[in-house]
């Protein structure tokens, strides 16, 4: 999904709230997931059941597994939760500030660029 939606993600990066109505990773993910589903439904891209970005993020940030999803892993990391000892309920219960959301979005885009570079290198 990340590679297929890369150009859209780059547009969203400039002004997330204009595209999603909010400035947080969850809203970006929901918007891009809907776009990606439309690409699949119109047979523009094949359905990719095995999205490598989830596991790549878990490995990159030091999480044991990727079941929490890339949004939660990046947000938790940005807020300051330690990947080795994360208790997800604590993240879900905490009040995330606007600055922390902005930090998580910035980290997301840095990771997207790294992922894209590695993906293209491994594909060649």
């Amino acid at each position: 999904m990340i590679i297929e939606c890369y150009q859209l993600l780059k547009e969203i990066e400039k002004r997330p709230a204009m595209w999603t109505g909010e400035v947080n990773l969850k809203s970006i993910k929901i918007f891009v997931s809907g776009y990606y589903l439309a690409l699949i439904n119109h047979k523009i891209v094949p359905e990719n059941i095995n999205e490598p970005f989830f596991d790549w993020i878990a490995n990159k940030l030091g999480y044991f597994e990727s079941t929490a999803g890339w949004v939660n892993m990046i947000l938790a990391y940005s807020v300051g939760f330690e990947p080795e000892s994360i208790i997800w309920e604590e993240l879900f219960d905490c009040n995330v500030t606007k600055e922390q959301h902005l930090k998580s979005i910035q980290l997301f885009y840095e990771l997207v660029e790294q992922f894209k570079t590695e993906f293209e290198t491994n594909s060649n």
Side-chain angles (χ1 to χ4, degrees):
M1 175 180 90
I2 295 300
I3 298 301
E4 294 85 357
C5 297
Y6 179 77
Q7 291 304 320
L8 175 62
L9 285 167
K10 294 307 288 181
E11 288 298 317
I12 293 171
E13 181 179 20
K14 298 171 192 170
R15 296 183 66 194
M18 183 183 82
W19 289 88
T20 68
E22 298 179 25
V23 181
N24 61 53
L25 277 183
K26 184 178 180 180
S27 65
I28 292 172
K29 184 211 182 274
I30 290 169
F31 186 90
V32 173
S33 293
Y35 179 83
Y36 183 62
L37 182 60
L39 293 176
I40 291 169
N41 286 342
H42 292 282
K43 301 189 183 343
I44 297 170
V45 299
E47 185 172 1
N48 183 1
I49 295 172
N50 190 12
E51 172 61 54
F53 189 66
F54 288 71
D55 289 335
W56 186 89
I57 288 292
N59 290 331
K60 194 75 171 173
L61 298 181
Y63 290 97
F64 175 69
E65 60 186 359
S66 64
T67 55
W70 60 263
V71 169
N72 291 324
M73 289 185 286
I74 294 171
L75 181 60
Y77 191 88
S78 297
V79 171
F81 286 89
E82 295 294 327
E84 305 85 28
S85 59
I86 184 86
I87 299 172
W88 292 107
E89 291 77 16
E90 291 178 8
L91 171 67
F92 303 144
D93 288 341
C94 81
N95 291 320
V96 180
T97 67
K98 179 180 178 180
E99 291 76 23
Q100 289 169 321
H101 278 299
L102 290 171
K103 183 178 176 182
S104 70
I105 291 171
Q106 180 181 6
L107 177 58
F108 166 68
Y109 279 102
E110 290 170 9
L111 293 166
V112 164
E113 291 304 322
Q114 291 175 29
F115 177 76
K116 181 177 182 286
T117 300
E118 287 182 28
F119 183 84
E120 289 172 346
T121 300
N122 294 334
S123 295
N124 294 329

